[in-house]
Amino acid sequence: MTEARLRTFVALADTGSVREAARRLYVTESAVSAAVAALARELGVPLVERAGRGLALTPAGSVYAAYARRVLGLLEQGRAAARGAADPARGPLRLAAVTTAADQVLPGLLAGFRARFPEVELALEVGPSRRVWASLAAHEADLVLAGRPPAGTAATVLARRPNELVVVGTPELAGAFSLTATPWVMREPGSGVRATAEAYLAERDVAPPRLVLGSNGAVIAGAAAGLGVALVSRDAVGAELAAGRLVVVDAPGMPLDRPWHAVAGTAPTPTTRLFVGHLLGAPGWTAASPA
């Protein structure tokens, strides 16, 4: 069982296609087929099966793919820790951030960090809350910037920054706001803000019309166009509030305090701690108290 075979199998699991896996890995299709077949022989169970014109994981393959991702993530994390221990300013750093943090919080931090430590190898994944926490659990990210870690996550909270969630809408909608009747524009499933908005409405036993627009930018644009009100981070709508395109709606129980968290795994790498040290020099960030 080799790292190359594991990477090939995970690529096939992700794409569902020998051709696409080969394209991702820059190898031949026969090499992909041979690697997955060899891995299945070693395990003694079939890992993939035909599904129409493509391939699908067998039940055994689905189970094994999750372990394979964690093993590969740990190998990358081990390499990062070793290189960072030798010289944190030259180690790799794999960041994962939810969309709002990536748009509003990270750009200045990354620019300043790169100016100070130009030889750190930075990589950034941006996605909904569910995906970034999955990346941390699979050891595919060294540091996550998002809301509070889900219960049961093996994680180390290193820093926090205030973040206020507010309901916003056009001045016209805000003036006629009804918790039961005014439409809400929502983020995509898997978003932490979407889950918070749904919980907020459920707690008040109301079910207003909802329109799912997907990305954070689309939700803000939809709210500014008058499609409905939206629950967003105040950080994300500063320009719209200043220009008067959006206003904060006087909704019951608002605003909500949902701090940003900088979260690593149980053993943060030296380069991760180097970045967190830089982050703690930025306005608003404070070190997390030990658990």
Side-chain angles (χ1 to χ4, degrees):
M1 191 175 300
T2 65
E3 182 178 346
R5 286 177 180 172
L6 289 177
R7 290 195 182 283
T8 302
F9 173 61
V10 168
L12 182 60
D14 288 344
T15 63
S17 162
V18 170
R19 176 178 297 176
E20 291 304 316
R23 185 175 300 170
R24 176 186 291 191
L25 298 171
Y26 301 100
V27 299
T28 64
E29 293 179 31
S30 60
V32 170
S33 297
V36 174
L39 192 58
R41 284 195 300 271
E42 289 183 59
L43 294 171
V45 293
L47 297 174
V48 295
E49 58 189 3
R50 286 287 172 192
R53 294 185 177 182
L55 293 173
L57 299 182
T58 64
S62 294
V63 169
Y64 191 68
Y67 284 94
R69 288 188 178 92
R70 288 199 290 272
V71 168
L72 291 171
L74 273 171
L75 288 171
E76 288 296 332
Q77 193 173 48
R79 279 191 279 266
R83 292 173 60 189
D87 186 352
R90 294 187 177 184
L93 177 61
R94 302 168 300 165
L95 298 171
V98 294
T99 308
T100 304
D103 289 346
Q104 306 297 324
V105 179
L106 266 181
L109 288 172
L110 289 179
F113 184 73
R114 183 165 295 283
R116 292 179 62 191
F117 306 104
E119 295 186 80
V120 169
E121 297 175 16
L122 282 170
L124 173 62
E125 174 191 2
V126 179
S129 179
R130 179 173 57 194
R131 192 163 83 202
V132 299
W133 292 121
S135 291
L136 186 71
H139 306 281
E140 294 172 343
D142 301 311
L143 188 72
V144 165
L145 265 67
R148 184 184 302 276
T153 302
T156 305
V157 178
L158 298 173
R160 294 186 180 89
R161 177 184 180 277
N163 177 44
E164 197 174 68
L165 297 183
V166 292
V167 178
V168 298
T170 61
E172 294 77 15
L173 272 182
F177 175 73
S178 164
L179 191 61
T180 58
T182 301
W184 285 61
V185 287
M186 294 280 198
R187 288 284 305 275
E188 74 283 5
S191 159
V193 174
R194 160 79 175 262
T196 300
E198 290 182 333
Y200 170 81
L201 296 172
E203 285 170 6
R204 286 154 181 80
D205 196 25
V206 294
R210 303 174 194 190
L211 176 63
V212 178
L213 293 181
S215 71
N216 194 59
V219 165
I220 293 170
L227 294 177
V229 299
L231 181 68
V232 296
S233 168
R234 190 185 288 271
D235 286 335
V237 290
E240 286 77 10
L241 293 176
R245 292 188 294 272
L246 291 173
V247 297
V248 175
V249 176
D250 185 19
M254 290 290 170
L256 299 176
D257 181 28
R258 294 294 187 270
W260 295 120
H261 291 67
V263 185
T266 54
T269 69
T271 304
T272 298
R273 291 195 177 277
L274 186 70
F275 180 81
V276 171
H278 171 75
L279 181 150
L280 289 172
W285 287 96
T286 57
S289 303

